């Protein structure tokens, strides 16, 4: 009986994926809308996908990063199947503290930067990715246009009394070639380091 049901399920699945040419036009439109497009696809940034900085990247960072270069990582924000056009540069605090004494004080780490392919700063985060004691950040990016995520969202898991929260969404401003926090005034200070 199970074998018969499995065969029947396969036949039904095959007929669903049959040539779209046999579908009425309204059904084709509905099927196209139901399928997620590459433009809208949201991706979660995995800390495991981040890599140590290349020498060329290290040389471009401000002096305030010098002490943390061995723990800094480059995290590419790539569209599905696309070439990365934006990357997040962040100090991985847990990597930094792995070589320090257990009672080492928390450092005043430089804030994470978003950079373009030429390593120009195009935005930043107010908290370290993926861990900013005692908080853990989850970053999602999507709404792609020309390989650039048009929006970046960050959820913060916070074990403290205040609980979890979301950082203001970062939205791409094509005219200024940078990310702006949702609701921030254009005159707000730049998250890009100057030294």
């Amino acid at each position: 009986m199970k074998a018969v049901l499995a065969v029947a399920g396969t036949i039904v699945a095959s007929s669903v994926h049959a040539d779209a040419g046999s579908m009425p036009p309204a059904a084709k439109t509905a099927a196209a809308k139901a399928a997620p497009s590459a433009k809208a696809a949201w991706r979660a940034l995995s800390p495991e996908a981040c890599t140590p900085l290349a020498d060329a990247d290290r040389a471009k960072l401000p002096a305030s990063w010098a002490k943390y270069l061995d723990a800094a990582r480059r995290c590419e924000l790539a569209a599905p199947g696309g070439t990365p056009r934006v990357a997040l540069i962040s100090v991985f605090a847990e990597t930094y503290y792995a070589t320090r004494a257990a009672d080492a004080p928390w450092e005043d780490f430089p804030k994470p930067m978003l950079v373009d392919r030429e390593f120009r700063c195009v935005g930043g985060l107010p908290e370290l990715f993926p861990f900013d004691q005692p908080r853990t950040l989850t970053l999602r990016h999507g709404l792609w246009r020309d390989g650039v995520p048009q929006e970046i969202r960050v959820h913060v898991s916070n074990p403290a009394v205040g609980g979890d929260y979301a950082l203001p969404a970062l939205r791409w401003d094509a005219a200024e070639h940078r990310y702006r926090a949702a609701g921030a005034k254009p005159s707000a200070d730049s998250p890009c380091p100057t030294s």
Side-chain angles (χ1 to χ4, degrees):
M1 183 66 174
K2 288 182 182 177
V4 172
L5 290 175
V7 170
T10 302
I11 292 170
V12 170
S14 296
S15 67
V16 168
H17 294 293
D19 179 19
S22 64
M23 297 173 72
K28 287 181 190 177
T29 303
K33 286 181 181 176
S37 71
K39 178 186 175 197
W42 284 89
R43 305 186 83 186
L45 180 58
S46 170
E48 290 79 25
C50 301
T51 59
L53 298 180
D55 289 341
D57 289 348
R58 288 171 167 247
K60 294 175 185 173
L61 284 168
S64 60
W65 285 73
K67 181 177 177 181
Y68 311 107
L69 289 176
D70 289 340
R73 298 291 180 266
R74 181 183 181 105
C75 310
E76 304 289 356
L77 308 183
T83 301
R85 300 210 29 221
V86 176
L88 176 72
I89 309 297
S90 184
V91 175
F92 276 41
E94 291 176 319
T95 301
Y96 177 80
Y97 282 107
T99 60
R100 303 291 182 272
D103 62 347
W106 188 256
E107 296 273 344
D108 185 18
F109 295 105
K111 300 299 183 205
M113 298 179 358
L114 291 159
V115 298
D116 65 11
R117 291 178 78 177
E118 288 75 38
F119 212 84
R120 291 180 298 228
C121 182
V122 295
L125 299 180
E127 300 184 37
L128 293 180
F129 175 85
F131 178 75
D132 197 340
Q133 185 182 24
R135 302 169 303 280
T136 303
L137 279 66
T138 303
L139 186 147
R140 296 182 68 234
H141 48 294
L143 305 178
W144 304 92
R145 186 174 301 140
D146 299 325
V148 175
Q150 300 298 295
E151 188 166 304
I152 297 171
R153 299 177 185 171
V154 180
H155 174 81
V156 182
S157 297
N158 183 16
V161 175
D164 296 358
Y165 56 94
L167 297 177
L170 296 174
R171 297 196 175 110
W172 181 249
D173 182 332
E176 293 198 17
H177 191 75
R178 63 174 285 188
Y179 286 95
R180 293 200 172 281
K185 296 179 181 177
S187 62
D189 290 338
S190 171
C192 298
T194 56
S195 62

